[in-house]
Structures are given as structure tokens and as C-alpha cells.
Amino acid sequence: MQTIRHSYSPAWFMRSYTTLFNISGFVNPPLFFLYLLITIGASTHHITLVNIVIFFLLAILLGLVSILAGNLMTEIVSDEVGLHVNFLWKHLFVPYKDIIEIKSYSSSPFSKRKNIKVIRTRSLTPLHRLYDLFFSFSLYPSIVYNKGISDYDELTRRIEKSLRKNKKR
């Protein structure tokens, strides 16, 4: 089986988008937290511990959303042993034996076309659980891709073939 690089077009733009959002996920939360503290400090209201905790949690949430959005449409490389993805500048490998299932979802509640695929696995980061939570309200570590990725049908075929092979074992 040949190695295929499945990416979104244009690839240079998607890599830049991912890098920008990854950097934003680390830089913006402290700046956001500092801005909120300065804004409250400059007002006539007193800063309370509750305010600080709420601002801190909002800053963390902002960072998580940036990181997850930036890595949502990541490049996937498929070969004979599994899938390779990047997350936060780190290479992650998912062997085909660790893929639990592939689910299809529509991009809108009003659409009947199911063009979003969610690959549920056993071997990704805890943050990858948030993708599955967002799309299907469960907590499996997941990879998401859609029809915009190159060789969409071949990627789906390879994953489904590996799932059939895993069920025979």
C-alpha cells in the first residue's frame, strides 16, 4: 500500500492557518487575562477572587478553542501501518488496530449529506476527545476530516478496510 498525504487545498495556507492558531492558543490567553484584569482594575469595581478565577477560565477556554480550531483540518498521512497526524507541532501515529470506528455526520442539522467523518481511536491526546465530544457527544479520542481533503474516498476506504480486518481478528 502506497503512502498518501491527504491534505486540504491549498496546503501552504492550511499549514499557515494551523501554525497561526497554535501560536494564538498559547499567546492570547495570558494577554486576554491581563487585559481583563487591567480593565476591571481601571474601573470602580473591586477585583475579587471570583473575577480572577472566571477570567482565568475564560482565558484557558480561548486558548483551547484556538488550538482545536487550528488543528481541526489537519493533514493526514495514510500508509500500510496506520495514520499519521500532527497536533501542536508534534507528530502522532495511530495504528490501524487502534481505530475503533468511523462515523459520518452532516455539517448542518438541515443537510442530509453526511460529509464529515470522525475517526474514533484509542491512541491520541486527551484534547482529541473534545473533537468527538463536539461532533457526537462521546469522549473517544478522534480525528475529523471532510470532503475537502485530498483523496477523501481513498482515506475512507483504507480506514473501513482496516476496521473489517480488525473485526476478523
Side-chain angles (χ1 to χ4, degrees):
M1 182 185 307
Q2 94 182 44
T3 300
I4 299 178
R5 185 175 299 272
H6 308 274
S7 60
Y8 295 91
S9 186
W12 66 268
F13 177 77
M14 293 312 297
R15 281 192 297 275
S16 301
Y17 169 85
T18 299
T19 301
L20 179 68
F21 273 77
N22 283 342
I23 292 169
S24 171
F26 289 101
V27 171
N28 285 344
L31 294 176
F32 180 71
F33 183 65
L34 187 61
Y35 169 76
L36 289 175
L37 286 180
I38 290 170
T39 303
I40 288 290
S43 73
T44 57
H45 295 78
H46 298 288
I47 298 178
T48 65
L49 183 60
V50 173
N51 288 350
I52 292 173
V53 169
I54 289 172
F55 295 157
F56 180 76
L57 292 176
L58 282 173
I60 296 295
L61 181 64
L62 174 70
L64 280 175
V65 168
S66 282
I67 289 168
L68 290 172
N71 290 280
L72 181 63
M73 294 172 55
T74 189
E75 181 177 83
I76 302 171
V77 176
S78 63
D79 59 20
E80 64 277 349
V81 291
L83 304 176
H84 305 265
V85 296
N86 288 318
F87 188 78
L88 287 176
W89 305 289
K90 185 178 177 187
H91 173 81
L92 302 173
F93 172 65
V94 180
Y96 285 125
K97 66 178 178 59
D98 284 356
I99 296 176
I100 298 168
E101 67 181 333
I102 185 169
K103 291 267 194 180
S104 298
Y105 297 95
S106 68
S107 56
S108 156
F110 308 109
S111 173
K112 292 185 180 182
R113 287 186 5 197
K114 295 189 173 189
N115 57 356
I116 296 175
K117 299 285 189 183
V118 177
I119 308 166
R120 292 181 175 169
T121 72
R122 291 185 187 92
S123 61
L124 287 170
T125 68
L127 285 177
H128 280 90
R129 293 177 186 274
L130 296 176
Y131 289 127
D132 199 40
L133 181 65
F134 179 74
F135 283 100
S136 62
F137 305 109
S138 65
L139 287 174
Y140 289 100
S142 299
I143 304 169
V144 178
Y145 68 98
N146 63 37
K147 288 243 187 213
I149 201 165
S150 61
D151 296 312
Y152 171 86
D153 293 327
E154 179 62 20
L155 177 58
T156 304
R157 187 191 65 74
R158 286 182 176 196
I159 294 166
E160 289 172 345
K161 181 180 174 185
S162 74
L163 286 170
R164 285 191 301 274
K165 191 184 292 184
N166 288 344
K167 284 184 180 179
K168 288 181 182 178
R169 291 180 184 172

